Amino acid sequence: RCFEAKCLNSIDVNIVLSQEDYQELKKLCKHDFPHEIIPIGVQDRGIKQNMPIDGKGLNILFIGTLTWEPNNRGMQWFLQEVVPLLDGSGFKYTLYIVGKNPSKELRELVGSRKNIILTGYVDSVDGYYDKCHCMVVPLFIGSRQRVKIIEAFSKGMPVISTSIGAEGLCCSHGDNILIADGANEFVQNIIAVSEELRKKLSVNGRQTYEDYYSPVAVQKKIINIVNKM
């Protein structure tokens, strides 16, 4: 800790990913230090096809490596707490859980259900972005700045996330993302995903990506820092 604090104070400019990261490092230094905020950038792989919501219901997507414990625990919570409420409401949906090495507990929770698809590892996630109407990020622990949400923004994919899942990102509930911190909130937001709301979240999420997280936006920030020095 002493070494890190010394380094922070001896460098001309420290690049941090978010205001939250800066505040944590400021606690370590016990005072301000020279810094600039540059978020993680994500390559632009194109906007998803906007498949209409049909009589079969909403296609919900989760993407994440399931050996990472926050993902594993978050999806177990979602299956135990949110799915029963969705089922009880009579809401029609299909849930795609895309990620390698799902745990035994997760596989047991999915069981033989036909409307919950546990894919395991896939070569490309693009097809799942295209066929799904929204993404869920039920994370309650873990580090900051979720690349999966930035990627979803780049794809124009509407996102429903916990506050922790969206931590450190430029986002606002109802504008470019939906925030849900409990099972009932997740259900309410999932059911509320209409074509109109999808379009709003998609357009605003994509604009957020272009303004803050695209290679062009990140490059401009880096060049500005270098020019200042």
Side-chain angles (χ1 to χ4, degrees), residues 62 66 68-84 95 97 102-110 138-140:
F62 171 87
L66 293 166
W68 191 51
E69 190 58 17
N71 281 339
N72 178 45
R73 290 173 62 178
M75 278 315 299
Q76 286 187 47
W77 174 86
F78 190 87
L79 291 171
Q80 291 171 323
E81 303 295 333
V82 179
V83 163
L95 171 62
I97 304 173
S103 66
K104 177 183 176 182
E105 293 81 4
L106 195 59
R107 285 186 274 112
E108 288 176 349
L109 285 169
V110 172
L139 296 182
F140 297 93

Side-chain angles (χ1 to χ4, degrees), residues 109-227:
L109 285 169
V110 172
S112 58
R113 294 186 54 134
K114 293 183 179 180
N115 69 328
I116 302 181
I117 314 299
L118 193 57
T119 69
Y121 173 80
V122 296
D123 289 327
S124 173
V125 298
D126 289 342
Y128 291 95
Y129 272 113
D130 288 342
K131 74 168 60 177
C132 291
H133 303 113
C134 67
M135 174 188 285
V136 292
V137 185
L139 296 182
F140 297 93
I141 55 175
S143 59
R144 294 190 173 88
Q145 210 158 74
R146 219 65 62 185
V147 176
K148 71 176 75 180
I149 295 182
I150 299 175
E151 184 177 70
F153 282 168
S154 77
K155 286 282 191 180
M157 168 67 88
V159 177
I160 305 170
S161 172
T162 59
S163 298
I164 290 177
E167 192 175 45
L169 297 175
C170 295
C171 58
S172 174
H173 175 71
D175 179 36
N176 58 359
I177 199 170
L178 298 176
I179 299 296
D181 288 320
N184 287 318
E185 290 180 29
F186 262 100
V187 171
Q188 291 166 9
N189 281 292
I190 288 170
I191 292 175
V193 176
S194 62
E195 293 289 5
E196 183 180 358
L197 181 57
R198 281 180 66 208
K199 183 177 180 180
K200 176 184 178 181
L201 295 173
S202 176
V203 169
N204 291 345
R206 174 67 191 189
Q207 191 62 56
T208 300
Y209 164 74
E210 292 178 359
D211 291 344
Y212 296 99
Y213 305 110
S214 67
V216 172
V218 172
Q219 181 182 9
K220 286 180 180 179
K221 291 178 181 290
I222 293 172
I223 290 173
N224 287 338
I225 291 172
V226 173
N227 287 340

Side-chain angles (χ1 to χ4, degrees), residues 16-31:
V16 296
L17 299 180
S18 66
Q19 182 66 24
E20 287 81 0
D21 281 348
Y22 163 65
Q23 293 297 336
E24 289 298 316
L25 289 169
K26 186 176 179 181
K27 292 177 185 177
L28 181 67
C29 283
K30 298 182 180 178
H31 56 75

